[in-house]
Amino acid sequence: MKFSLNSNGKINIGLNVTGRCENGYHLLDMVMIPISLSDTMTGEITDAKGTLTIETNKKDIPTGKENILYKIYDKFYDESALERKKVYVYLEKRIPHQAGLGGGSSNGAFLLKLLNNFHDNHFSMEKMIEIGKSVGADIPFFLINKSARVTGIGENIEIIENNLESALIIIKPDFGVSTGKAYKNMYMLNNKRDADIDKIVLGLKENSLSTVENSIENHLEQGLLLEDENIIDFRKRLAALNNMKFFMSGSGSAYYTFADKNEKENIYKILKEHFKNCEVHLCGSL
């Protein structure tokens, strides 16, 4: 079976860390929306016994067992006890990595759904969410792949109505950040500002951009801004742009801004010119 599919990214609109589990995972409350910025996965699943082969257009992405696709492949066949099939995946990356946009988790979720479909829907969605959660916290969201309020460690997904008409422009600086540092620093905050997730959900439903923007906070960004010089400097560059608001997605390092659909192309050009050392992507929500 040959396949070609788009594996889309996501942004976080507000992110609160609400606790921590004994196993070290953090409990979150956030809104996540799928976006049109996508990787492309092409390849073939055969009936022959074999293993997974991964190729990609990015030299710095591993293609061995450390790749999330390989982890999903292993987990699927371990859990199902089915004969491992020979699978080839060519992964064309467009979603920046180390960005907080969920590219790797999306790839993993799409492969999991693909394998499950090939094997006559061997697992229920509930079981796939359980499998996905064991590999990556964002994978359950991408299995559903709809705008949602996400809680727990990422496995509790409440689908919400997203009628926001704005376009999105994403800026990924030429550096990544440490998610571990973001969580560690977050605990050093004396005056955490909480996102109003209820208002964000309402604003998305009512197409009220001001309600959404005025309700966004991100605990992980606040932690990084304590001492991450790259983020501190980049935030200053963003703040210097008049009449524009920027928000970090997840643990970064990518930021996004909302743009009016009639002005999006012009704003995109301005940002692309202003941030020549960054990846700038014009996209929308799905």
Side-chain angles (χ1 to χ4, degrees):
M1 181 184 81
K2 292 187 177 180
F3 61 86
S4 178
L5 45 87
N6 292 323
S7 170
N8 61 273
K10 59 84 180 170
I11 59 168
N12 293 80
I13 304 182
L15 188 155
N16 294 331
V17 181
T18 59
R20 190 172 186 175
C21 303
E22 289 182 2
N23 61 8
Y25 281 101
H26 289 84
L27 301 172
L28 306 171
D29 187 8
M30 56 192 174
V31 168
M32 297 170 71
I33 65 169
I35 59 175
S36 58
L37 179 61
S38 302
D39 298 332
T40 301
M41 295 169 58
T42 55
E44 186 175 12
I45 305 177
T46 72
D47 281 320
K49 182 179 179 180
T51 188
L52 173 65
T53 301
I54 305 166
E55 292 184 347
T56 179
N57 63 323
K58 297 287 187 180
K59 292 180 181 178
D60 54 345
I61 292 178
T63 56
K65 293 203 170 187
E66 61 271 44
N67 190 295
I68 198 166
L69 293 176
Y70 219 109
K71 293 176 182 178
I72 283 291
Y73 176 90
D74 276 345
K75 194 72 176 179
F76 177 86
Y77 284 110
D78 285 346
E79 291 286 328
S80 66
L82 294 167
E83 180 184 72
R84 292 175 181 239
K85 299 300 184 183
K86 184 179 180 181
V87 179
Y88 169 75
V89 177
Y90 181 79
L91 176 61
E92 185 174 344
K93 292 294 291 182
R94 295 186 194 91
I95 303 168
H97 56 293
Q98 292 188 317
L101 301 174
S105 294
S106 174
N107 301 157
F110 275 79
L111 179 62
L112 179 55
K113 286 190 280 189
L114 192 69
L115 290 170
N116 199 53
N117 181 57
F118 181 81
H119 289 284
D120 300 318
N121 296 314
H122 184 84
F123 291 126
S124 66
M125 177 58 76
E126 290 75 19
K127 180 61 178 177
M128 283 202 295
I129 286 173
E130 182 185 318
I131 291 170
K133 182 177 71 170
S134 71
V135 176
D138 286 344
I139 292 178
F141 168 77
F142 284 109
L143 290 170
I144 304 296
N145 211 28
K146 293 181 179 179
S147 296
R149 183 172 188 166
V150 179
T151 55
I153 65 168
E155 81 280 21
N156 300 322
I157 300 163
E158 176 192 346
I159 295 171
I160 62 173
E161 200 173 332
N162 177 17
N163 296 311
L164 202 63
E165 294 179 351
S166 304
L168 289 161
I169 301 173
I170 292 168
I171 304 175
K172 165 62 170 67
D174 58 354
F175 59 84
V177 295
S178 165
T179 302
K181 180 191 276 190
Y183 278 106
K184 180 182 176 183
N185 285 10
M186 188 267 306
Y187 287 107
M188 296 161 55
L189 293 167
N190 293 321
N191 297 296
K192 267 201 315 256
R193 300 181 305 278
D194 295 341
D196 191 330
I197 304 297
D198 289 332
K199 280 193 176 179
I200 291 171
V201 171
L202 181 65
L204 291 172
K205 181 178 181 180
E206 296 183 345
N207 185 28
S208 173
L209 180 58
S210 60
T211 300
V212 172
E213 289 186 328
N214 293 334
S215 304
I216 298 174
E217 295 289 352
N218 183 331
H219 286 174
L220 298 181
E221 181 196 22
Q222 292 169 40
L224 288 167
L225 286 170
L226 286 177
E227 63 175 22
D228 189 307
E229 293 298 332
N230 285 330
I231 288 293
I232 292 168
D233 291 343
F234 190 65
R235 201 62 169 108
K236 288 177 182 175
R237 289 180 65 191
L238 294 172
L241 294 167
N242 293 328
N243 303 317
M244 297 191 74
K245 296 179 180 179
F246 293 89
F247 308 96
M248 180 181 278
S249 182
S251 60
S253 60
Y255 281 80
Y256 61 89
T257 186
F258 296 101
D260 184 276
K261 287 192 172 182
N262 296 320
E263 301 173 7
K264 63 183 182 181
E265 296 288 351
N266 187 45
I267 295 171
Y268 171 68
K269 288 178 183 176
I270 291 170
L271 292 176
K272 202 162 177 60
E273 179 68 24
H274 193 80
F275 294 98
K276 289 183 178 178
N277 63 327
C278 303
E279 290 187 57
V280 183
H281 298 276
L282 174 61
C283 59
S285 57
L286 294 177

